[in-house]
Amino acid sequence: MPFGRDVRSITTILCFFSVLLPASAGRAGDAGNSSRIRHHDLVVTIDPDRHRLAATDRMVLQVDQAQQPVFSLAKSLRVMEVVLVERERSIPLPFRVVPAPDDSSFQLLGLSLPAAAAGDVTVEWRYEGLINDPPREPRHLRFVTPSETAGHIGPEGTYLSSESGWYPDLSGSLASYALAVEIPDGWTTVSQGRGGARQDCSRRDSGGACVVRQTWESGIAEALTLVAGRFAVKQREWRDGAGRPVSLATYLFPEDAALADEYLEATAKYLDVYVPILGPYPFEQFAVVENFFASGLGMPSFTLLGSGSIKRHYVQPYALGHEIVHSWIGNSVWNRVESGNWVEGLTTYLANYYWHELAHDDRQAREQRRLMTQGYSLYVTPRSDYPVAEFQRKSDEKDNAIGYQKAAMVFHQLRMEIGDDAFWRGVKQVVQEYSGRHADWKDLEGLFARVSGKDLRWFFAQWVERAGAPQLSLVDASASPPADQPGAFRLHVAVRQEGEPFRVTVPVEVTMQDSVKTLLVPLAGSQGEVDVPVPSMPLSVSLDPQVMTLQRFRRDQLAPVLNLYVTDPRKSLLPLFPDGATPFQELVARIRAQEEPLAPERKTDMLPVDTTVLPASGSVLMVVTPEHRAQAQSLLGDSCGDRVKLEPTGFRIAGATYDGPAKAVLLSCHRAGVPGSVVTVLYAIQPAAAAKVARLLFFYGWHSVVIFSDGVVAQRDVWQVPQTIKEVRLNAQP
């Protein structure tokens, strides 16, 4: 993702994996500076084995008269000298340590400039020290984030973002960068902009080994990131429709070098699609760079993906496509984070969702709308909700659901409100007007209002500045045959919303004897109604089955899925498998270990094997092998009915039979008599068939049924909830 202030993010099989690097504004202190850095000219020597860097930063500083700016720099770095550079001399500048918060990793350094210094002055810093924060595993149970580090120099690789404090900075500075890096032979650097050409043996180190130098140049940006590793590099040229060239590159570890063409071809494919939508690609290159720790990071002109992601062919729209869209939205147009982060919502809409519309894959487009709405409804309770305008960065599932998923659906509502033509002209106009500038929600409101010719104050007040979403239900569907129109009917539909009303128009799909028709029901108060003629007998109506409207669903209105179990405040696990079922034993052990820090009341209850009655409340996960199928079948009875039958050599799901030792199934049903809770079963004919499934179980949380063959998904399905469908009541003929 583009620039935020936090390097943590999310990846799941069904979601994107993206983080924008932090802006310099995220550093400690610096408040009140009116000086700005206009340019950094950095010469850096990296010593991976000793976790050290030595650097000189000759910066062009724009100052007001009598300014004494306060810079931030990593606490682990020692400043040897700061000088004011004039034409014929260098004047040493005194600096002082300014108190910083105890938990900050930055030191604050006040620089005393001569009283006469004003305008653009050149200041040179010379400093050195350690940057050694080895990546740590994320602290979340089922919300997969990148490894956590502020920055690291080591034999396994180098990662230096603005959070590392590896160069002196001032809050709010938008600077250009020239970077020269000296690094041991065999290493390659990656940074922003253009460059990277290898210069062999710029010098020899104290042991006589070759030190190479590589240079990079970047236009104006919020911050600078430097990455280094032992990469195999492959490049090719791509040209847009106007013939403008862009250098595409991969920097992969040697063992993954064979994947280079796959990533280069995918990059070209996404550029082909998004350049017509967003305008010319804003940089001279785009590189896919393999990282030594788990990550999905987007920077101007490259993306940094963890080695595990690279090996998993991370080229999907929610993955590589998302990072490429950030080239425009977030890395060319910058987010003003203190005013809310709109960047992630629009990028998610364009990449994770709109790609499927462009591919004319209506089924997958609907699935993405369902996932975004369901994610918001599951992970954001009414008590924990907050407005989209207040989202700044992502640290947990709730933030992701608001700042990415709900915000993406807000852009979908905007598109429906102003129409396709105005919406897509507005999206392109955002890039044209704000490239190289910050933009916030207010800027977007003004731009889309201007492009559409509509007053959108109500829209942004409701969808962006207000928490929550409409809670809708069908309350009436009735029809009468008019006496003067044989075969026709007059249909009445009423939709209710709970709580403080939203202004919204809801699609209602009408199924008739020989056709299907969609009605639009406008709501501004607690209830909306339509009374319309239909050409034949209406049988049923369905509330927004294509999920076009942003809503908050109750848990019992959502399709039964594993994530209803995950988000249930009370959870139980029933292990129905023998001692030799190693994958299932490891799953239970992993859940126990991950929940160890939790308070007892928040931990999953482990039910005894001889359980014959499920707990009176909460959701239940049963892990089952054929030896215990009869017991599991009995426990499923009231909840799943005849949709599920566990058999010795297979299973039957909704009337279809699946047989064989390689088969496994993950299925969920709403618990009978326990609204909002589910009973979920992982059933494998042989434990080996579930080895991969058990390891990645919580990646499969968004479908009611997932059928596996040899650990690979063979089929998915979502079971619709009856509360969203209503049979039409036929009234007597008048």
Side-chain angles (χ1 to χ4, degrees), residues 578-729:
D579 291 342
T582 303
F584 291 165
Q585 289 175 325
E586 291 175 347
L587 169 64
V588 174
R590 189 166 67 251
I591 292 174
R592 287 183 182 274
Q594 289 173 324
E595 292 188 344
E596 185 61 33
L598 300 180
E601 64 274 12
R602 296 181 59 198
K603 293 182 179 180
T604 299
D605 293 331
M606 296 294 172
L607 302 177
V609 175
D610 59 356
T611 294
T612 58
V613 179
L614 295 181
S617 63
S619 293
V620 181
L621 170 62
M622 294 192 287
V623 184
V624 186
T625 54
E627 295 89 340
H628 296 271
R629 62 183 168 76
Q631 179 185 355
Q633 188 72 54
S634 173
L635 293 169
L636 286 173
D638 292 342
S639 298
C640 295
D642 58 3
R643 285 189 295 185
V644 177
K645 178 68 173 176
L646 307 181
E647 298 176 336
T649 61
F651 41 86
R652 283 192 290 122
I653 307 293
T657 299
Y658 306 87
D659 267 322
K663 293 292 191 293
V665 62
L666 175 70
L667 64 93
S668 299
C669 303
H670 279 294
R671 284 198 63 188
V674 189
S677 293
V678 293
V679 56
T680 298
V681 177
L682 174 59
Y683 181 60
I685 307 309
Q686 293 185 356
K692 181 179 179 182
V693 179
R695 189 172 67 252
L696 300 174
L697 181 65
F698 295 102
F699 286 115
Y700 303 110
W702 295 107
H703 290 82
S704 305
V705 179
V706 187
I707 296 167
F708 304 88
S709 184
D710 285 321
V712 177
V713 174
Q715 187 177 330
R716 307 177 200 258
D717 198 7
V718 176
W719 288 340
Q720 194 166 8
V721 181
Q723 288 95 324
T724 61
I725 305 173
K726 202 171 190 68
E727 290 187 5
V728 176
R729 173 172 45 86

Side-chain angles (χ1 to χ4, degrees), residues 143-155:
F143 183 73
V144 182
T145 64
S147 300
E148 296 170 353
T149 176
H152 183 63
I153 298 172

Side-chain angles (χ1 to χ4, degrees), residues 1 12 75 189 249 254 385 572 631 718:
M1 56 184 245
T12 70
K75 282 183 178 178
T189 64
D385 205 350
S572 302
Q631 179 185 355
V718 176

Side-chain angles (χ1 to χ4, degrees), residues 456-469:
L456 296 175
R457 177 83 289 266
W458 74 268
F459 181 95
F460 282 82
Q462 172 177 287
W463 292 115
V464 176
E465 298 165 12
R466 174 182 168 186

Side-chain angles (χ1 to χ4, degrees), residues 276-558:
I277 295 171
L278 296 168
Y281 178 72
F283 304 104
E284 294 181 56
Q285 79 161 27
F286 184 85
V288 176
V289 185
E290 188 167 2
N291 197 9
F292 61 95
F293 61 87
S295 65
L297 305 169
M299 283 72 70
S301 76
F302 73 100
T303 183
L304 186 63
L305 305 178
S307 187
S309 297
I310 290 288
K311 289 175 170 63
R312 289 196 300 271
H313 306 274
Y314 194 73
V315 296
Q316 301 89 342
Y318 63 79
L320 182 61
H322 188 99
E323 305 300 344
I324 288 173
V325 169
H326 270 317
S327 300
W328 290 271
I329 309 299
N331 282 326
S332 179
V333 178
W334 303 317
N335 181 62
R336 190 176 286 115
V337 70
E338 64 274 10
S339 302
N341 182 347
W342 58 273
V343 159
E344 290 304 341
L346 183 54
T347 300
T348 299
Y349 188 69
L350 293 174
N352 303 45
Y353 168 72
Y354 188 59
W355 175 266
H356 302 291
E357 272 200 40
L358 290 170
H360 305 291
D361 188 345
D362 294 340
R363 181 179 177 277
Q364 189 58 35
R366 179 195 180 279
E367 176 68 357
Q368 290 302 316
R369 295 192 298 269
R370 181 186 75 84
L371 290 172
M372 291 187 292
T373 306
Q374 188 162 359
Y376 169 68
S377 298
L378 270 179
Y379 285 107
V380 184
T381 66
R383 292 182 61 185
S384 67
D385 205 350
Y386 60 82
V388 166
E390 294 179 10
F391 168 73
Q392 295 185 350
R393 65 190 65 84
K394 168 177 54 179
S395 60
D396 58 21
E397 296 95 332
K398 176 189 67 180
D399 296 329
N400 178 70
I402 293 173
Y404 289 67
Q405 296 170 325
K406 180 184 177 182
M409 284 298 292
V410 167
F411 282 104
H412 192 62
Q413 306 307 119
L414 178 61
R415 180 181 165 195
M416 290 192 296
E417 176 66 27
I418 66 176
D420 271 14
D421 180 66
F423 180 79
W424 294 114
R425 282 191 290 113
V427 168
K428 183 173 281 190
Q429 196 72 16
V430 168
V431 177
Q432 291 175 350
E433 288 192 18
Y434 289 97
S435 183
R437 299 168 56 196
H438 290 92
D440 58 24
W441 283 109
K442 289 292 186 185
D443 296 320
L444 266 61
E445 177 184 340
L447 185 147
F448 280 104
R450 185 174 76 248
V451 169
S452 66
K454 290 188 173 185
D455 181 357
L456 296 175
R457 177 83 289 266
W458 74 268
F459 181 95
F460 282 82
Q462 172 177 287
W463 292 115
V464 176
E465 298 165 12
R466 174 182 168 186
Q471 295 179 265
L472 307 174
S473 60
L474 286 166
V475 292
D476 184 54
S478 58
S480 301
D484 58 345
Q485 296 179 354
F489 284 80
R490 192 81 189 176
L491 175 66
H492 176 264
V493 176
V495 178
R496 177 184 299 150
Q497 60 175 320
E498 301 174 20
E500 184 182 350
F502 283 76
R503 175 176 164 183
V504 63
T505 299
V506 189
V508 174
E509 190 173 274
V510 183
T511 300
M512 294 170 282
Q513 285 181 317
D514 52 4
S515 61
V516 176
K517 178 184 179 68
T518 298
L519 307 177
L520 297 178
V521 181
L523 288 93
S526 60
Q527 186 161 305
E529 303 179 47
V530 293
D531 197 273
V532 294
V534 293
S536 62
M537 180 185 292
L539 304 176
S540 65
V541 296
S542 179
L543 183 65
D544 194 17
Q546 297 303 313
V547 202
M548 299 297 288
T549 306
L550 172 58
Q551 301 179 51
R552 173 187 286 286
F553 292 101
R554 298 191 314 269
R555 290 174 64 87
D556 62 347
Q557 290 179 306
L558 295 168

Side-chain angles (χ1 to χ4, degrees), residues 223-304:
L224 183 68
T225 298
L226 170 63
V227 173
R230 298 180 181 274
F231 298 123
V233 183
K234 189 166 187 177
Q235 295 177 302
R236 71 171 60 167
E237 188 179 84
W238 173 87
R239 290 181 179 269
D240 66 14
R244 288 181 287 261
V246 175
S247 175
L248 309 184
T250 56
Y251 293 77
L252 304 180
F253 298 151
E255 62 268 25
D256 296 325
L259 299 175
D261 286 337
E262 179 181 359
Y263 281 92
L264 291 170
E265 289 163 9
T267 299
K269 176 184 69 174
Y270 289 121
L271 290 175
D272 284 336
V273 167
Y274 286 112
V275 163
I277 295 171
L278 296 168
Y281 178 72
F283 304 104
E284 294 181 56
Q285 79 161 27
F286 184 85
V288 176
V289 185
E290 188 167 2
N291 197 9
F292 61 95
F293 61 87
S295 65
L297 305 169
M299 283 72 70
S301 76
F302 73 100
T303 183
L304 186 63

